[in-house]
Amino acid sequence: MSKKYNFEQVEAKWQPVWEAMDLYAAGHDPDKPDRYILDFFPYPSGSGLSVGHARNYVPTCVSARFMRMQGYNVLHPMGWDAFGLPAENYAITHNIHPRESTRLFCDTYRRQMKLLECSYDWAREINSTHPDYYRWTQWFFLLLHERGLAYQALGEQWWCPGCQTILANEQVENGRCWRCDHEVTKKALQQWYFKITEYADRLLADLDTIDWPEPIKLMQRNWIGRSEGAEVVFRAAGGDEIAVFTTRPDTLFGVTFLALAPEHPLVAKLTTAGRQTAVSDYIAQSRRKSDIDRQATNQAKTGVFTGSSAIHPLTGQPVPVWVADYVLMGYGSGAVMGVPGHDERDFAFARQHGLEAIEVITPDGRPQGVEACFSDYGVLINSGDYSGMDSQTAVSRITADLAAQGKGRQHVSYKLRDWLISRQRYWGAPIPIVHCQSCGAVPVPADQLPVELPDIDDFAPSGNGRSPLARAADWVNTPCPRCGQPAQRETDTMDGFACSSWYFLRFASPRYEDGPFDPAAVARWLPVDTYVGGAEHAVMHLLYARFWTKVMFDAGLISFTEPFTQLRNQGMLLSNVDGRKMSKSRGNVVTPDEVAAQYGTDALRGCVLFLGPFDAEVTWEETAVRGVARFLDRFWRLVGEVAQEAFHAKAQRRKESKEFERRRHELVQRLTHDMAQFRFNTAVAALMEHLNYLLAAWEAGEGSAAQWQEMLNVYTRLLAPIAPFISEEVWQAVLGQPGSVHQQSWPSFEAAKAAAAQVTVVVQVNGKVRDRIVVDVGEEEGRVKQTAVSSPKVQQAINGQAIHNIIIIPQKLVNIVAG
Ligand code: ANZ
Ligand code: ZN
């Protein structure tokens, strides 16, 4: 056995053995419980994996290995979310078909994941761009369509001139495309939507039932944005009704203006002749702004007067009607009642345009003046019969009174919008619809799926707002499935998030042909027990997948309503060069390939775990990987020495040690706890600390031969999920154990035996700490008192005074009262 651990040799030795054994195939032992551990569906890009990605894939692999050893059947699969813009944009710039670029990217990802020895069941690999996968994505489209949850509508939508496609709200960040960073504009197009808004309340309520990080739940709550309030109706002079949505009906007597969104349908009608130029100029100007700019708190609150007024529903007073673009058409009713005294935006608007503010809420019912805006709840003043009421009471009273007079009603508003799924791009799953002159939009019958993506060479965007598929005439022209007359296929493809909204079900039975999944396999494995990925997916994928799951539940396809029981987000890995996220464009990427080549896969895995807490942002350090490699070397040397000596008579003379035994139980306890809690960094630290102890114990002759044998047997199994290669080599080649270490059971411990035998107790004299003494756990009180009193330091502090009392807090403290 060589002194230095040769990772190259050992990795080359075991990799093929494990592959031949099919070591990571999902277990099917009916006597074992099942566990589904899943990584987010990766989107393979041309850059390949960095060590940053390993912070996602290594911990889940460790967790999967730990669960297998704990006696679970584990499903831990991998596949590719390979449709979408990046692959296609790459293909266009590199003049290669997206099918080809996608294949190259997936090959790289797979190779790198195998290099990390991620324990995926590769037989279950799936790819969202294969017709036998997207056939079922299309099938789900039909399911949603059938249930009235997929519809087409003409709308002003975000258009990215860079990517030449429509984008969902979620894909516009600060007025720019999330992919190419181009400034977005608006375009009116006929688009397909999924009616996620119908599920808003359930998406909100069920967040309370899942074990997800609180920040992610909060982002989903805010994204759904449920607001309870009232709709209040103001009547314009011509009889038109202007409905406003407000969360504060208690401020109704403080209304001094109404503001309509520039897109509001009543704007044209309410604009008086003299105001027409001013109003239309204003509308043109605000059309160029994104909603985000319009809502920015630091921007001036622009607006223009329509010339009309409307009647306040309770006071009967006229209120001027303005147009202001801080009011959004897509929220509430696209109109607000302006209350400068109590709403910050209205306050700023009123200041700018010389409108009055009326104080109607104060903290204690006494007037304070309206120099500043008071936006809390309080007590009403200047509010007719409602004066003196507290805000909460007034909200329900005013709402009820308005309702009784037909001037309002209770109302709930949501920020969530329906999910826009059409993309005018080639590289996606075609929407399975045929447009027929006489029948309209006809779904392609399920038995005619998949609607295959035609193999065209000219897949670049047209620039006219139509999908490149529109140019594939042979493909577009098809008989109507209903009446057989000539008709045209829908040429938009589906947003990639449709593919990732159900893939986790496909892994349960990846080659199933009679449906998207085998119900028995899904009943067994789903929902996903542990789902791991980056926090940047808080709203899109994680909301869409929850939505589809609920639809499937409603359709009777599955028996659960939440797809991912437990969610964990790994922290980001920053570059040590510039302290920023690793990315190819910044040139600061460290690849797993280079690290593994220099230090071995085990050291790389250990380092990724050891750099910091799983969910913390950490910085890459070459020294950390070196440290882990050194730790593995020292383990290797120790095991070698022990193994050699074990056959030696000398080993028999080593003395049995209670502490040696206790430490073993303690280590197993720590590792078991840390692994279950995703505390992989402290698990590695515990193994390192324990190795230091072992090295010292070996030198000191502590532990009998039998104890050492047991210790190494246990230690190697604990190390196995983290460093699979060295532990296999030690297990089989050095310790001579039969079978793979990865098929052994996780070591057990007894908490009582792990507990320290002795504790340190603080000794005080008259409340002042004077000494610390070590006593046996469970030592009788009399002896503890004796030991405490006889300490020289304590004697010095007592200084011959009489002892009046001795108070004991077991295993912690002795306080001697003297004087
Ligand atoms: C009067 C009022 C007085 C308001 C007050 C607030 C405080 P959230 O909580 O986010 O749901 N609002 C309503 N529709 C709007 C639209 N389309 N564009 C911009 N703002 C709109 O916000 C609800 C509040 O936002 C509503 O309550 C309304 O202003 C405004 F002391 O009505 B409030
Ligand atoms: Zn037809």
Side-chain angles (χ1 to χ4, degrees):
M1 183 180 151
S2 67
K3 269 235 147 132
K4 196 159 160 54
Y5 175 61
N6 186 332
F7 66 82
E8 275 155 340
Q9 239 167 47
V10 173
E11 289 174 15
K13 173 177 170 186
W14 291 112
Q15 216 151 27
V17 175
W18 293 337
E19 205 160 312
M21 287 169 72
D22 212 358
L23 188 60
Y24 310 129
H28 46 250
D29 184 340
D31 296 331
K32 288 182 176 178
D34 301 318
R35 192 94 183 182
Y36 188 177
I37 302 173
L38 184 65
D39 293 307
F40 284 11
F41 206 21
Y43 191 104
S45 78
S47 332
L49 297 179
S50 74
V51 285
H53 293 96
R55 288 205 77 203
N56 185 170
Y57 305 130
V58 171
T60 48
C61 168
V62 171
S63 191
R65 289 171 181 274
F66 167 65
M67 297 311 293
R68 288 188 198 105
M69 292 178 81
Q70 284 234 312
Y72 288 86
N73 295 312
V74 172
L75 173 58
H76 188 46
M78 181 43 71
W80 319 114
D81 187 13
F83 269 139
L85 286 180
E88 196 178 342
N89 287 347
Y90 180 94
I92 291 166
T93 43
H94 292 78
N95 201 19
I96 163 177
H97 196 278
R99 197 184 338 89
E100 269 312 296
S101 57
T102 296
R103 199 177 52 74
L104 291 174
F105 298 169
C106 294
D107 286 350
T108 304
Y109 267 51
R110 190 187 310 100
R111 183 184 59 70
Q112 289 180 302
M113 286 174 175
K114 288 190 171 178
L115 179 74
L116 290 167
E117 201 54 31
C118 291
S119 59
Y120 298 124
D121 182 352
W122 286 108
R124 291 175 188 253
E125 181 179 340
I126 58 177
N127 184 322
S128 66
T129 67
H130 288 175
D132 53 5
Y133 181 90
Y134 69 70
R135 164 184 184 187
W136 302 112
T137 307
Q138 293 172 334
W139 185 90
F140 279 114
F141 177 96
L142 297 180
L143 177 77
L144 285 149
H145 191 260
E146 197 179 285
R147 300 182 69 79
L149 296 169
Y151 66 94
Q152 231 181 340
L154 183 72
E156 282 260 302
Q157 297 303 341
W158 291 117
W159 169 261
C160 171
C163 294
Q164 303 270 350
T165 186
I166 289 294
L167 299 171
N169 289 325
E170 296 88 326
Q171 295 166 345
V172 177
E173 292 164 354
N174 300 319
R176 291 176 178 278
C177 170
W178 68 318
R179 282 304 181 205
C180 75
D181 211 38
H182 213 289
E183 221 170 289
V184 297
T185 56
K186 288 257 167 123
K187 207 176 180 93
L189 284 171
Q190 187 84 353
Q191 303 283 326
W192 284 95
Y193 295 84
F194 287 146
K195 222 186 250 177
I196 190 172
T197 50
E198 203 164 298
Y199 283 72
D201 277 329
R202 285 163 69 187
L203 288 167
L204 207 53
D206 289 352
L207 283 174
D208 295 335
T209 69
I210 47 184
D211 171 17
W212 285 25
E214 267 320 305
I216 303 275
K217 288 191 186 184
L218 186 64
M219 282 171 81
Q220 292 215 346
R221 286 195 188 101
N222 290 341
W223 189 258
I224 295 167
R226 182 181 198 276
S227 286
E228 278 183 31
E231 200 171 78
V232 180
V233 178
F234 291 72
R235 191 175 289 275
D240 290 304
E241 289 189 343
I242 304 171
V244 303
F245 171 68
T246 178
T247 47
R248 295 294 302 275
D250 56 317
T251 64
L252 189 51
F253 284 79
V255 174
T256 56
F257 65 95
L258 295 185
L260 308 180
E263 304 86 351
H264 196 286
L266 283 177
V267 169
K269 216 165 162 199
L270 296 179
T271 302
T272 56
R275 304 292 307 155
Q276 247 149 36
T277 328
V279 169
S280 56
D281 283 355
Y282 180 72
I283 292 173
Q285 171 199 326
S286 67
R287 254 185 83 88
R288 290 192 288 270
K289 293 194 212 163
S290 75
D291 283 4
I292 290 155
D293 293 339
R294 283 166 58 165
Q295 293 251 284
T297 43
N298 56 353
Q299 300 252 332
K301 296 277 170 290
T302 60
V304 63
F305 180 44
T306 61
S308 295
S309 59
I311 300 305
H312 190 290
L314 294 184
T315 66
Q317 293 295 310
V319 179
V321 180
W322 285 63
V323 178
D325 65 13
Y326 74 92
V327 182
L328 301 180
M329 194 56 222
Y331 188 62
S333 56
V336 306
M337 58 184 220
V339 186
H342 304 286
D343 180 285
E344 294 287 355
R345 293 164 300 179
D346 299 345
F347 184 76
F349 186 83
R351 275 239 164 131
Q352 195 146 347
H353 303 284
L355 293 157
E356 190 195 355
I358 306 174
E359 185 177 40
V360 293
I361 311 277
T362 73
D364 53 8
R366 274 193 296 249
Q368 305 225 312
V370 287
E371 288 73 47
C373 168
F374 176 70
S375 49
D376 279 351
Y377 283 128
V379 177
L380 275 68
I381 60 170
N382 300 328
S383 296
D385 294 347
Y386 305 95
S387 294
M389 268 183 208
D390 64 89
S391 285
Q392 268 98 339
T393 313
V395 165
S396 40
R397 288 281 180 83
I398 292 177
T399 308
D401 292 350
L402 286 170
Q405 299 171 41
K407 292 174 179 169
R409 60 188 179 104
Q410 252 188 352
H411 186 72
V412 179
S413 276
Y414 298 87
K415 298 248 153 60
L416 186 67
R417 294 283 151 267
D418 279 339
W419 171 14
L420 198 174
I421 59 128
S422 339
R423 296 289 177 276
Q424 292 69 45
R425 295 294 298 240
Y426 171 69
W427 196 232
I431 292 175
I433 290 284
V434 172
H435 296 281
C436 166
Q437 285 260 299
S438 29
C439 309
V442 181
V444 174
D447 60 8
Q448 288 173 28
L449 299 181
V451 175
E452 277 204 51
L453 201 53
D455 196 359
I456 56 174
D457 292 328
D458 178 19
F459 47 80
S462 332
N464 60 1
R466 294 214 62 193
S467 162
L469 285 176
R471 298 194 296 256
D474 289 353
W475 180 83
V476 170
N477 293 310
T478 186
C480 166
R482 198 165 287 162
C483 70
Q485 293 301 304
Q488 278 82 41
R489 290 192 188 282
E490 169 65 56
T491 55
D492 285 355
T493 54
M494 271 187 260
D495 179 8
F497 282 113
C499 310
S500 55
S501 288
W502 73 279
Y503 80 105
F504 42 94
L505 294 156
R506 188 67 182 165
F507 280 130
S509 50
R511 312 290 168 246
Y512 192 67
E513 289 186 358
D514 301 332
F517 53 79
D518 174 358
V522 161
R524 185 181 151 200
W525 290 112
L526 275 286
V528 175
D529 295 290
T530 302
Y531 195 34
V532 181
E536 68 276 11
H537 288 279
V539 281
M540 289 185 263
H541 162 58
L542 288 173
L543 199 60
Y544 299 150
R546 295 182 61 221
F547 162 50
W548 276 39
T549 300
K550 290 176 197 307
V551 174
M552 289 181 220
F553 173 84
D554 291 352
L557 296 173
I558 55 175
S559 63
F560 52 92
T561 52
E562 284 292 332
F564 316 119
T565 309
Q566 181 189 58
L567 175 72
R568 292 292 177 265
N569 303 123
Q570 79 274 6
M572 194 122 67
L573 182 68
L574 305 180
S575 154
N576 53 328
V577 178
D578 55 8
R580 303 176 69 182
K581 191 183 167 181
M582 286 189 186
S583 88
K584 202 181 183 185
S585 57
R586 293 201 188 101
N588 61 2
V589 170
V590 177
T591 66
D593 310 58
E594 55 192 287
V595 179
Q598 198 176 347
Y599 300 98
T601 293
D602 285 349
L604 168 56
R605 290 171 59 103
C607 166
V608 163
L609 300 168
F610 186 57
L611 274 172
F614 166 77
D615 53 1
E617 191 172 88
V618 296
T619 304
W620 174 254
E621 281 168 52
E622 180 104 11
T623 50
V625 68
R626 249 182 260 138
V628 176
R630 206 159 37 233
F631 153 65
L632 296 175
D633 273 341
R634 292 167 81 210
F635 171 60
W636 179 253
R637 261 197 312 265
L638 174 71
V639 172
E641 263 181 54
V642 178
Q644 275 172 3
E645 210 181 303
F647 303 102
H648 227 261
K650 190 173 140 201
Q652 304 306 321
R653 291 201 300 274
R654 290 183 167 274
K655 58 180 191 305
E656 195 159 296
S657 158
K658 265 199 156 161
E659 177 63 4
F660 197 75
E661 193 71 7
R662 186 191 71 75
R663 292 258 195 164
R664 195 188 82 221
H665 283 278
E666 188 189 49
L667 178 69
V668 178
Q669 185 177 36
R670 283 180 71 176
L671 265 282
T672 308
H673 177 259
D674 286 352
M675 290 278 186
Q677 302 295 316
F678 265 61
R679 301 225 176 104
F680 304 108
N681 61 323
T682 54
V684 176
L687 286 166
M688 287 174 161
E689 267 171 45
H690 197 79
L691 182 65
N692 288 339
Y693 164 73
L694 288 180
L695 289 163
W698 181 248
E699 287 310 316
E702 211 183 314
S704 69
Q707 281 185 316
W708 271 95
Q709 214 163 40
E710 176 67 6
M711 180 68 92
L712 292 184
N713 178 306
V714 164
Y715 192 96
T716 308
R717 280 183 284 156
L718 296 179
L719 183 63
I722 295 165
F725 289 105
I726 194 170
S727 48
E728 184 75 314
E729 182 68 8
V730 167
W731 183 257
Q732 298 201 44
V734 184
L735 303 179
Q737 298 285 346
S740 169
V741 69
H742 303 296
Q743 291 177 323
Q744 306 306 312
S745 58
W746 185 252
S748 56
F749 67 93
E750 289 175 45
K753 289 193 178 162
Q758 295 190 311
V759 285
T760 302
V761 171
V762 169
V763 184
Q764 297 179 335
V765 176
N766 294 335
K768 266 208 172 121
V769 177
R770 296 298 180 179
D771 200 4
R772 289 186 167 76
I773 56 170
V774 176
V775 300
D776 287 356
V777 171
E779 178 70 281
E780 77 173 74
E781 286 198 0
R783 306 261 316 248
V784 177
K785 286 181 187 174
Q786 230 170 41
T787 317
V789 172
S790 56
S791 139
K793 285 183 190 161
V794 171
Q795 280 298 325
Q796 203 185 342
I798 294 174
N799 197 16
Q801 303 172 82
I803 295 175
H804 302 297
N805 197 5
I806 302 181
I807 302 149
I808 285 199
I809 301 172
Q811 301 191 28
K812 287 209 174 75
L813 182 106
V814 178
N815 185 20
I816 300 164
V817 185

